[in-house]
C-alpha cells in the first residue's frame, strides 16, 4: 500500500503533468470502483486546477467538484502517453485530458478495494472522518496533549 510520502510525491507529479488541462472524460473501468452516485459525465470540460493529497487520498480539484482516488493495498497510477482506450485487467478508472497524458488507476491482486469518488462543492465524503494532517499544528496538539488514551500508532492510523 502506498504510504504518505509516496502519495505526496504522486500528487506532486500529477499536478505538474496535468494542472491546467481540461478533463475530457472520466471512464469507469471496474464496476465497484466508483463509490459515489454522481454521473462521471458531469466532470467533462472542466479544467484541472490542481492535484493534492489529503491523508492517503489523491484530490483532483476541478473548480467545484473534486475527485478523490484511494489506491488501497494494490492500487497503482499510470500516466499513459499516448492515451489508450483498452480495458486493462484490474483497471479502476481512466481520466483522459486534452493535450496531456491520460491517468489510469488500476489495482493488482484480488482485493479490489481501490476506489474513486466524485464530490460536489461542500461534500467532504470520506475526507470528513480524517484527522489532522501531520504538518498541521492540530496534529502536534493531538499527539502531545490530546486526551485520547489510545496508543500513538492507533491514533495515527
Amino acid at each position: 500500500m502506498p504510504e504518505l510520502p509516496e502519495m505526496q510525491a504522486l500528487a506532486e507529479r500529477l499536478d505538474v503533468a496535468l494542472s491546467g488541462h481540461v478533463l475530457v472524460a472520466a471512464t469507469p473501468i471496474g464496476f465497484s470502483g466508483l463509490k459515489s452516485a454522481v454521473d462521471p459525465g458531469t466532470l467533462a470540460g472542466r479544467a484541472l486546477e490542481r492535484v493534492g493529497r489529503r491523508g492517503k487520498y489523491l484530490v483532483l480539484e476541478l473548480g467545484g467538484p473534486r475527485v478523490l482516488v484511494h489506491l488501497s493495498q494494490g492500487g497503482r497510477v499510470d500516466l499513459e502517453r499516448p492515451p489508450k482506450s483498452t480495458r486493462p485487467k484490474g483497471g479502476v478508472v481512466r481520466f483522459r485530458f486534452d493535450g496531456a497524458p491520460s491517468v489510469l488507476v488500476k489495482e493488482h491482486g484480488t482485493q479490489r478495494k481501490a476506489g474513486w469518488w466524485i464530490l460536489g462543492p461542500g461534500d467532504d465524503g470520506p475526507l470528513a472522518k480524517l484527522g489532522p494532517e501531520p504538518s498541521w499544528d492540530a496534529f502536534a496538539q493531538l499527539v502531545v496533549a490530546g486526551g485520547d488514551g489510545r496508543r500513538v500508532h492507533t491514533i495515527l492510523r
Side-chain angles (χ1 to χ4, degrees), residues 16-24 80-81 83 96-102:
V16 167
L18 304 171
S19 284
H21 291 278
V22 173
L23 181 67
V24 175
E80 298 178 325
R81 290 182 188 108
R96 210 163 32 98
F97 291 90
D98 186 33
S102 62

Side-chain angles (χ1 to χ4, degrees), residues 1-153:
M1 167 169 45
E3 296 298 333
L4 192 72
E6 289 88 3
M7 294 305 294
Q8 181 65 37
L10 178 58
E12 291 171 4
R13 178 179 174 217
L14 293 175
D15 189 53
V16 167
L18 304 171
S19 284
H21 291 278
V22 173
L23 181 67
V24 175
T27 308
I29 299 172
F31 174 74
S32 62
L34 182 58
K35 308 294 185 185
S36 57
V38 179
D39 177 14
T42 62
L43 301 174
R46 294 183 170 273
L48 181 65
E49 292 180 353
R50 71 185 248 359
V51 179
R53 175 203 56 78
R54 176 77 169 93
K56 291 187 183 179
Y57 292 88
L58 288 175
V59 182
L60 286 72
E61 301 279 352
L62 294 164
R66 294 178 294 172
V67 175
L68 303 182
V69 176
H70 194 285
L71 299 177
S72 192
Q73 293 180 354
R76 301 288 182 267
V77 173
D78 290 341
L79 286 176
E80 298 178 325
R81 290 182 188 108
K84 299 177 182 172
S85 59
T86 59
R87 296 180 62 89
K89 181 178 180 183
V92 176
V93 62
R94 179 177 282 122
F95 300 102
R96 210 163 32 98
F97 291 90
D98 186 33
S102 62
V103 176
L104 173 65
V105 178
K106 60 184 178 179
E107 186 172 22
H108 299 287
T110 58
Q111 292 295 318
R112 301 293 177 250
K113 292 183 180 180
W116 62 294
W117 293 255
I118 302 171
L119 304 178
D123 181 10
D124 284 335
L127 301 179
K129 58 185 174 182
L130 296 181
E133 288 288 317
S135 61
W136 296 354
D137 291 339
F139 178 79
Q141 184 66 24
L142 174 71
V143 173
V144 174
D148 197 325
R150 298 177 295 170
R151 293 178 31 214
V152 172
H153 174 77

